[in-house]
Amino acid sequence: MKVATVVGARPQFVKAAPVSRAFGAAGVDEVLVHTGQHYDGGMSDVFFAELGLPAPRHHLGVGSGSHGVQTARMLRAVEAVLRHERPDWTLVYGDTNSTLAGALASVKLGVPVAHVEAGLRSFDRRMPEELNRIVTDRVARLLFAPTPAAVQNLAREGICGAWVHRVGDVMLDACRMFGPLAERSCDVLERLALDPRRFALVTVHRASNTDDPRTLGVIVAALARLAESLRVVFPVHPRTREAMVRHGLEARLRGPGVALLPPVGYLESTVLQRAAAVVVTDSGGMQKEAFFHGTPCVTLRETTEWPELVELGWNVLVPPHDPATIAGAVLRAAGGPRPSRASTDALYGSGEAARRIAEVLVG
Ligand code: UD1
């Protein structure tokens, strides 16, 4: 069986790593297609190297652009690859423009699509990711849902039956697979002189937080305030760096309490999340990873695709309106008692999602 896997953005490299291994074990011929949505070494190459992903068989070099331009370039290039490779299935991950383009190009050629991380919804259609998810789930033939809530979301949209498989979360697989290697091989805590549980790990990259200077200003002011009581470690996404520089906000985080870093790879991110007192983020994946590592999370958004973590008390949603409110919530999460983990470990499966995906596809 031949499967074309379309990836392009940082979180997709992480999700593809365990599935690629499972495909190898199941004898699947996987054609890895990299759209080039993320192209910097720190956003792309480092993940291939650390996670042992094979070099992409096709690199489409699409790069950045407006949503229409970027997606159109991907559609055109993915279509050409699929015509050439003639796979039995196309596999896409998550909710990025690469996901949407891979799915659309494929179904238009009559090649069925399997979607990993199907059924997630923020119920906020202002997010480009929400539109990408809805369309991809609509056209997919096999839907691999990570959680019971995702299965319910699909059922509400009339997508159910043999097409939907609750397999668990491939990010948990990745976490189990690479966690020990990260602990053994990564010296980021020593290099940055960080004491475990004495710092906040921060990431921000959502369009809703970076593209409006007022919102970004609130987040920067909150981090500056937080840094007075808790060290802040902030690997900065290129789009966020660019927006902070453009609006003159970067200088406000130049104090001794803040470590502004380039984007970190998967292994460093793992060690930092494990050691942090609290994770502050707008990333979807890091909300879960923080939980996997037993670290509380504050999410700088109004909504989340992972409501179960909010219900359990591991994640707090704090929309970025006011610096003092954000800083207060982060300090409370960092210093408060950790919620119980009893009976929650099965929430995202047992770390066997990749194997099950391979089994279903081969079957
Ligand atoms: C994309 C996804 C988002 C995902 C995120 C992970 C969409 C709509 N969004 O957002 O869901 O959480 O990836 O990081 O697909 N840039 C670089 N170098 C790079 C990549 C990006 O400099 O290697 C800069 C460019 O200025 C670009 C901007 O970042 O214009 C945005 O990149 P893009 O891939 O469009 O969106 P992300 O914010 O990364």
Side-chain angles (χ1 to χ4, degrees):
M1 165 178 284
K2 190 174 191 179
V3 176
T5 297
V6 180
V7 292
R10 189 165 60 167
Q12 290 161 340
F13 311 139
V14 175
K15 293 166 196 172
V19 178
S20 279
R21 279 200 194 180
F23 279 169
V28 171
D29 176 18
E30 184 183 33
V31 178
L32 200 60
V33 183
H34 188 327
T35 63
Q37 177 170 354
H38 286 174
Y39 43 86
D40 286 350
M43 298 289 287
S44 175
D45 301 352
V46 64
F47 291 86
F48 280 77
E50 288 183 347
L51 303 173
L53 273 168
R57 221 180 283 178
H58 300 272
H59 198 301
L60 310 181
V62 161
S64 302
S66 68
H67 285 277
V69 167
Q70 187 182 54
T71 310
R73 283 198 206 119
M74 287 179 192
L75 271 171
R76 186 180 180 148
V78 172
E79 183 181 69
V81 167
L82 295 178
R83 274 189 198 283
H84 170 72
E85 292 285 354
R86 301 175 156 276
D88 300 296
W89 285 89
T90 298
L91 185 72
V92 295
Y93 293 92
D95 56 17
T96 71
N97 290 343
S98 298
T99 315
L100 175 70
L104 267 186
S106 185
V107 289
K108 292 269 185 174
L109 290 174
V111 178
V113 168
H115 184 204
V116 177
E117 261 196 6
L120 299 180
R121 296 291 180 269
S122 64
F123 302 101
D124 179 357
R125 290 204 181 198
R126 289 168 303 178
M127 288 178 74
E129 293 86 356
E130 183 76 349
L131 304 173
N132 292 343
R133 289 179 201 120
I134 291 169
V135 177
T136 303
D137 284 341
R138 209 61 238 176
V139 300
R141 181 66 194 282
L142 267 179
L143 297 103
F144 294 114
T147 59
V151 174
Q152 276 168 23
N153 290 337
L154 290 171
R156 262 199 296 271
E157 294 175 21
I159 306 170
C160 49
W163 292 12
V164 179
H165 296 261
R166 184 188 154 204
V167 291
D169 196 310
V170 289
M171 288 189 92
L172 177 60
D173 296 26
C175 183
R176 298 243 170 111
M177 204 171 266
F178 297 104
L181 172 65
E183 291 289 349
R184 271 199 316 277
S185 63
C186 191
D187 64 352
V188 63
L189 299 181
E190 293 77 24
R191 254 189 303 117
L192 298 176
L194 293 171
D195 293 326
R197 302 296 181 207
R198 304 288 287 276
F199 67 93
L201 175 65
V202 178
T203 76
V204 176
H205 73 270
R206 287 279 157 203
S208 58
N209 284 339
T210 58
D211 293 4
D212 172 11
R214 211 187 55 82
T215 305
L216 191 58
V218 167
I219 293 173
V220 166
L223 298 180
R225 185 184 276 245
L226 182 63
E228 291 166 13
S229 339
L230 187 63
R231 189 124 187 249
V232 171
V233 177
F234 185 7
V236 190
H237 187 292
R239 88 184 286 155
T240 313
R241 171 85 64 175
E242 200 252 325
M244 290 202 316
V245 170
R246 185 155 27 100
H247 301 300
L249 294 168
E250 209 194 16
R252 296 177 61 183
L253 293 178
R254 285 270 170 232
V258 184
L260 285 183
L261 311 175
V264 292
Y266 184 74
L267 302 181
E268 286 195 349
S269 175
T270 297
V271 169
L272 289 169
Q273 287 183 68
R274 281 194 180 188
V278 57
V279 167
V280 183
T281 191
D282 59 10
S283 150
M286 278 181 65
Q287 296 172 46
K288 273 178 305 174
E289 286 177 337
F291 171 72
F292 299 154
H293 297 304
T295 304
C297 183
V298 172
T299 298
L300 301 176
R301 286 177 46 193
E302 287 173 20
T303 57
T304 178
E305 300 77 33
W306 310 100
E308 55 281 341
L309 295 180
V310 176
E311 283 154 25
L312 289 170
W314 279 94
N315 190 10
V316 188
L317 294 181
V318 184
H321 300 318
D322 170 53
T325 309
I326 298 172
V330 173
L331 289 173
R332 270 195 305 283
R338 311 241 147 167
S340 153
R341 290 176 67 82
S343 79
T344 60
D345 284 353
L347 208 55
Y348 295 101
S350 52
E352 301 266 293
R355 191 179 53 74
R356 295 187 57 197
I357 288 167
E359 268 171 21
V360 172
L361 267 171
V362 171

